[in-house]
Amino acid sequence: MAWPNVFTALDLSQYTKLIEKLAEDLQSGKIKATDISEDLVRQTYKDLARASAKGYGKSFYNYERNGKQKLSLQQNIYRFSAAKTYQEQALLNSFLLDENGQRRNAAEVKKLALAMNEEFNSRHLQTEVNTFQRTNAQAEKWNKYQEQKDLYPNLQYKTAKDDRVRDDHEAVDDIIKPVEDKFWDKWYPPNGWNCRCYVVQTDKPATSGTPAGNPTLGFQNNPGKTGNPVDPEHPYFIFPDKDARKIRSSFEDLKLKLPQYNEVHKKGSGSLEVSVWADPEDIVQNIAAGKVLVNSLKAKVKIRPHVNSAIKKKYKNPELEINGVVGDLKNITSNSGITNGFKTAKGQMGALKGYTVLFNLDGIKKLDLTAIKEQLNNKISPQRGIKIKSIFINYKGKAIELTRDEIIKRNYKKLDDLVQ
């Protein structure tokens, strides 16, 4: 198997500028080592994501098929980029003092910084680009192996069969195991930086036994299943205990500062964009609901970043933005569900001055419009629901928007027309 061409012409000049600026800002006290550089994360992610998309194929940013896997892969690239950035900043910060604890001058710090840049963003980055491209190519292939396993139930491990193959990889060369065997949870390639190993699908019988040995630390996982090109055991993800909480908090902040939206659907002036940091667990239903709004109302919809609420405890994670207004999707399964939908939406909006709610009524087996209207009347009045700008309702592939004023005036013609 010949791997596709990798990127060989990375523009490293931008990294040199970023590292020089970081060194200056650390020396002046403008930033701290735990304040993760947005610019360096963005640049690193750009190069790694570009390579990953080339490896995975043209559907990398199409989330309607295998969307959970693709988002997880892209989020791992971002996490890796942020973790690497932290490690670079921590090393730069260590250059500020010499072995005697005396402050180095700017010229000395710059010299050390440029040497570090050569290692991290020339030699290492090229290896990372090559490996991320190959890893994402293998992740995409995993989907095909799943689809074809009834005909070809096994996978066979293959090395490049030359003197550059690692000993541990050579030990598992030609081993055959079922697609669902736990062997592939650890040994699905690539299994290290610049690893050239691969698998082929086969109906040959499985081999017995597994040699001792492990892949390189950080590659003992199956990216097709976990969505992790590099698993959390990689040394970049190891932070000092005293700084770990601050680093992880800074990283969650980056999700909102660098949401990285990709347009996935468009109709007329309407569009649907998905943040790389959207919740993979809800991506299918959120895209389906967003497309209905775009197709019916030419709405501009964004599926927003999902922040780890265990780290950012006060953040509520509203999922959507519709025509510039933050909102949340509520899939209603009973005629009495509107009331609870409003209640949970209110809790998710925190201190926002205004918001919207999207109700999807497709889960109601027998729709009772009278009950729906009564709940809307109860929750939105001149005195109640002050922050609700409007609501959206999806039903059987169509959508309407009811403004706050229309609900207060009991003007439900659009709702009546929607369900007829």
Side-chain angles (χ1 to χ4, degrees), residues 209-397:
T210 303
N214 291 296
T216 302
L217 190 65
F219 291 90
Q220 299 177 22
N221 98 111
N222 182 335
K225 295 175 69 172
T226 66
N228 292 332
V230 179
D231 74 39
E233 297 301 316
H234 188 277
Y236 277 172
F237 294 98
I238 299 174
F239 310 123
D241 290 342
K242 64 183 181 64
D243 295 329
R245 179 175 293 183
K246 175 65 169 63
I247 294 165
R248 293 190 174 99
S249 180
S250 295
F251 178 68
E252 294 303 315
D253 292 336
L254 276 179
K255 293 181 179 180
L256 301 177
K257 294 177 182 177
L258 305 176
Q260 189 69 35
Y261 284 103
N262 298 300
E263 185 176 87
V264 300
H265 182 67
K266 186 174 180 63
K267 184 170 183 180
S269 59
S271 62
L272 173 61
E273 297 179 64
V274 177
S275 168
V276 164
W277 288 113
D279 188 349
E281 299 297 331
D282 295 332
I283 192 60
V284 173
Q285 64 178 13
N286 284 337
I287 284 181
K291 287 184 70 173
V292 174
L293 295 180
V294 173
N295 293 341
S296 293
L297 303 174
K298 306 299 186 292
K300 293 186 181 298
V301 183
K302 290 183 176 182
I303 301 178
R304 305 177 73 248
H306 185 86
V307 172
N308 188 334
S309 56
I311 296 173
K312 306 295 288 187
K313 298 185 183 300
K314 294 184 179 181
Y315 193 77
K316 302 298 183 180
N317 277 319
E319 298 171 302
L320 304 176
E321 180 182 305
I322 306 172
N323 295 331
V325 180
V326 173
D328 211 50
L329 169 65
K330 301 300 175 186
N331 290 301
I332 306 303
T333 58
S334 70
N335 287 296
S336 61
I338 296 291
T339 297
N340 189 59
F342 274 120
K343 181 179 179 180
T344 57
K346 181 179 180 180
Q348 287 174 285
M349 297 306 157
L352 289 174
K353 294 181 179 180
Y355 62 90
T356 185
V357 185
L358 168 58
F359 292 103
N360 176 25
L361 306 184
D362 288 339
I364 302 176
K365 292 182 179 180
K366 188 174 181 181
L367 196 62
D368 182 349
L369 267 188
T370 300
I372 300 295
K373 292 175 183 178
E374 285 178 355
Q375 291 169 89
L376 294 176
N377 295 342
N378 184 48
K379 289 297 180 181
I380 298 179
S381 70
Q383 296 78 32
R384 301 195 69 186
I386 304 298
K387 292 185 177 182
I388 301 171
K389 301 297 184 182
S390 67
I391 68 164
F392 293 85
I393 297 177
N394 284 5
Y395 185 65
K396 294 185 176 180

Side-chain angles (χ1 to χ4, degrees), residues 95-112:
F95 294 157
L96 302 183
L97 302 179
D98 64 21
E99 59 275 11
N100 298 316
Q102 300 300 309
R103 289 188 64 84
R104 288 191 169 103
N105 61 43
E108 292 174 319
V109 172
K110 181 178 179 180
K111 181 179 179 180
L112 291 168

Side-chain angles (χ1 to χ4, degrees), residues 4-43:
N5 291 331
V6 296
F7 295 104
T8 57
L10 290 169
D11 179 9
L12 302 179
S13 62
Q14 189 63 30
Y15 288 95
T16 301
K17 295 176 183 177
L18 291 170
I19 292 297
E20 287 181 344
K21 181 68 164 56
L22 264 177
E24 292 172 3
D25 289 346
L26 285 165
Q27 194 163 34
S28 68
K30 186 175 180 180
I31 64 170
K32 299 177 181 178
T34 53
D35 298 329
I36 300 174
S37 167
E38 297 174 28
D39 292 334
L40 187 53
V41 172
R42 186 186 291 110
Q43 184 64 44

